[in-house]
Amino acid sequence: MVGRLYVVGIGPGSPELRTVAAINAIRESDVVIGYNTYVNLISDLINGKEVIKSRMHEEVMRARLAIEKALNGHVVSLVSGGDPQVYGLASLVLELVSKEGLDLRPTIIPGVTAALAAAARLGAPLNMDFAVINLSNLLVSDEEIMMRIRAAVSGDFVIALYNPISKDVLVKAMNLISMFRGASTPVGIVRNAYRDSEFVLTTNLGSWMRYLEAVDMNTTLIIGNSRTYVYRGFMITPRGYRV
């Protein structure tokens, strides 16, 4: 008998930002699978369950194992930080199910993604149209990343940058953005949003490089558009209401 597979977004890490649906899915499951860090963030929910942790770059293995367990009758939660559709495993799971023609219908549980968590710490920088761009060049070339950066910045989108694994790629991206936007454009830097050792800083395009060493793979950067401004530390992107 086929079981059930949940692909669960657990949010940025704080228990207060988990959704009820995510909590219920994990509690219902007898098997929980995920990247070490994400599983550790839900340690209070997984007592008595079969827990399978793995390292970074083992995403395909985790997805296949979750599918196999579900097909063998288990209720499985494959956990993802943030939202599983935003650079998570939702699409990988569905690709495997579709390509192999499996009789399994995974349930995707949304979560608070990093851009939203970081933006809330900064104020309200995403209140107009914005673009989310992944700076990791593990699956996408540098050229593709820069093409997307150029399109977003030329369209005057607020830009949220995920996964600045390579500081060379980050610097190249910020230099490209600086060709279109002035040095006073607000920049927010948030590391470990809603987790221990959280770091939140508001700076600008002309000064952001001073904080390069504070950036790691758990950092989200938000670059304002032509309307974004800062008031008492809050990044604000107005929607255009008459106030």
Side-chain angles (χ1 to χ4, degrees):
M1 180 179 178
V2 175
R4 182 173 298 175
L5 173 56
Y6 296 109
V7 186
V8 183
I10 63 170
S14 170
E16 290 78 12
L17 290 183
R18 299 170 185 163
T19 67
V20 173
I23 294 169
N24 289 343
I26 295 167
R27 285 178 173 166
E28 181 187 340
S29 300
D30 58 279
V31 180
V32 174
I33 300 173
Y35 172 52
N36 289 310
T37 298
Y38 302 149
V39 174
N40 292 339
L41 289 170
I42 57 168
S43 59
D44 56 307
L45 299 176
I46 58 177
N47 290 334
K49 303 180 186 298
E50 180 183 358
V51 178
I52 302 169
K53 302 180 183 181
S54 68
R55 299 169 296 179
M56 195 176 296
H57 310 315
E58 295 181 338
E59 292 82 4
V60 175
M61 181 275 287
R62 290 199 296 273
R64 287 192 180 280
L65 183 58
I67 290 169
E68 177 185 335
K69 290 280 188 180
L71 290 174
N72 286 329
H74 292 280
V75 179
V76 182
S77 278
L78 176 61
V79 298
S80 176
D83 184 286
Q85 299 178 85
V86 184
Y87 312 123
L89 295 185
S91 63
L92 175 57
V93 167
L94 294 177
E95 281 184 82
L96 291 171
V97 169
S98 65
K99 288 184 177 179
E100 297 178 16
L102 301 177
D103 185 19
L104 180 67
R105 189 174 182 84
T107 300
I108 312 301
I109 307 291
V112 177
T113 187
L116 301 181
R121 286 306 201 205
L122 294 167
L126 303 183
N127 216 44
M128 276 292 287
D129 299 330
F130 64 93
V132 175
I133 299 174
N134 190 346
L135 293 184
S136 172
N137 55 5
L138 297 176
L139 299 176
V140 180
S141 69
D142 290 4
E143 290 74 20
E144 286 181 89
I145 294 171
M146 295 308 139
M147 176 188 69
R148 291 166 185 168
I149 293 283
R150 183 179 293 274
V153 72
S154 63
D156 200 29
F157 289 92
V158 175
I159 301 173
L161 299 177
Y162 278 50
N163 297 328
I165 296 172
S166 166
K167 291 188 177 177
D168 289 341
V169 173
L170 173 60
V171 170
K172 189 186 299 184
M174 296 297 277
N175 286 343
L176 178 56
I177 293 170
S178 296
M179 293 174 60
F180 293 81
R181 296 184 187 172
S184 62
T185 301
V187 173
I189 301 174
V190 181
R191 186 182 67 237
N192 291 325
Y194 294 91
R195 299 184 193 178
D196 294 338
S197 70
E198 179 185 73
F199 174 86
V200 180
L201 174 77
T202 302
T203 180
N204 58 50
L205 269 178
S207 303
W208 82 273
M209 274 283 289
R210 299 176 189 174
Y211 309 100
L212 183 61
E213 292 307 310
V215 175
D216 63 16
M217 66 173 291
N218 296 313
T219 303
T220 303
L221 293 91
I222 297 182
I223 301 94
N225 67 8
S226 62
R227 301 179 183 181
T228 307
Y229 65 95
V230 176
Y231 175 73
R232 295 188 177 182
F234 288 116
M235 281 182 69
I236 304 167
T237 303
R239 283 199 64 192
Y241 294 113
R242 293 182 181 180
V243 295

